[in-house]
Amino acid sequence: MTNPPDQPGASAIWGGRFAGGPSVVMQRINASIDFDQRLYAQDIRGSKAHCRMLVATGILSAEDGEAIVAGLERIRQEIESGALTFRSELEDIHMNVEARLAELIGEPAGRLHTARSRNDQVATDFRLWVRDAVDGMGSALQGLQAALIDQAETHAATVMPGFTHLQAAQPVTFGHHLLAYVEMFGRDRGRLADARARLNECPLGAAALAGTSFPIDRRQTAAELGFDRPAANSLDAVSDRDFALEFLAAAAICAVHMSRLAEELVIWTTAQFRFVSLSDAFTTGSSIMPQKRNPDAAELIRAKAGRVIGNLNALLIVMKGLPLAYSKDMQDDKEPVFEAADTLELSIAAMTGMIRDLTVHAERMAESAGAGFTTATDIADWLVRVAAVPFRQAHHITGRIVRLAEERGCGLAELPLGELQAIDGRIDAQVYSVLPVEASAASRTSYGGTAPANVAAAVLAARQRFL
């Protein structure tokens, strides 16, 4: 026997159309309250704005409007205190709030949904949530940049090997290396800011898909909610999630940057490198090997990048085949965004802590900076600059010098002048002045180069640009 529409079992939302209620399985697959309850603050904020607009346009009485706003504020307090229990049979945060509002104020609660659909309601809530997440993530990245800049300032003249192909290439300064990540995270903040600017249009008032016949004022609700303008097309307003995709794309790129820095921390903390040490706060030990200090926080940041990238792919796949306007597939838009935001927020916090607590082993870095004939390019440059040798010829001459040093099992600076001159007679004793790693790094004074003086100036510029 089926349930009459107004009895338990039929949906309180759309029971008038259906004689019976959904199966238990249908209830489970249809409900989103387990995750979209995170939208409660945005949902209540949007409902208050919608209510005040309805009153201002004469669609709703002032008395009903006051009761609705007061009831919504009480619901917000109940949720934040843990006093309100969400009900899965009400499907989502919107209907849970509306049902509780009806319990509190009675019939006026049913007037709140005038000139509104859950389609424009959730699109508005979700944009508000993503906007808040962008602001929080931008602030967190700024904190990470500050930690990197502080370390870069301290180590503006600390020489280390620079790598290509993970092979020693040329000496650089540790401060210069860290400032590279400051630039990357600055672009990440820029991408987030760009996404925020594009998402800042208000869907509220688009209703289900076609707008509404009520004389609403969409500019009023948009302004109250901090949007730049109402969304221009009602179909687009409720049916696209490119703002969420753009947020996820920016988050995925940021997670990749985080993963690259995490990988370097993992490498640098090995016994083979010993460039840096992480504090006890961000490392763990081994259950069997008492000597171990494992860079688990860095490794987990590296792993979590894959989850953020996966979240982007998941939502792209959800959206790729959907015709206009709204489809229930889009209920699965929130979990990837929530998880990506949570994951990246935690990763940024952990990375910021590791960078601030970092112990740098400058002597070990300097020792390693000269390994692998990293100042060979300096010899070639010296031949060009002092002896007017064409660079391609200088490159060939320097290659023969490197081969000789390999055969002798010594560094470039340890080769006798006579043997260097046997390779090319234009070489004189001045060449030895460019071979120390400190001299090599100090000579890279071109804009954006690694010279300590450049790094000191870049630190000041970065503070002005990013902090």
Side-chain angles (χ1 to χ4, degrees), residues 35-56:
F35 56 85
D36 71 11
Q37 60 185 265
R38 293 181 63 160
L39 298 174
Y40 80 88
Q42 291 79 17
D43 189 71
I44 290 172
R45 183 182 174 192
S47 290
K48 286 180 178 180
H50 183 66
C51 176
R52 282 190 274 262
M53 180 274 296
L54 292 178
V55 172

Side-chain angles (χ1 to χ4, degrees), residues 148-150 152-154 156 175 179 454-464:
L148 289 162
I149 291 169
D150 287 345
E153 184 173 38
T154 300
L179 288 177
N454 284 29
V455 175
V459 163
L460 293 176
R463 291 195 189 280
Q464 294 175 348

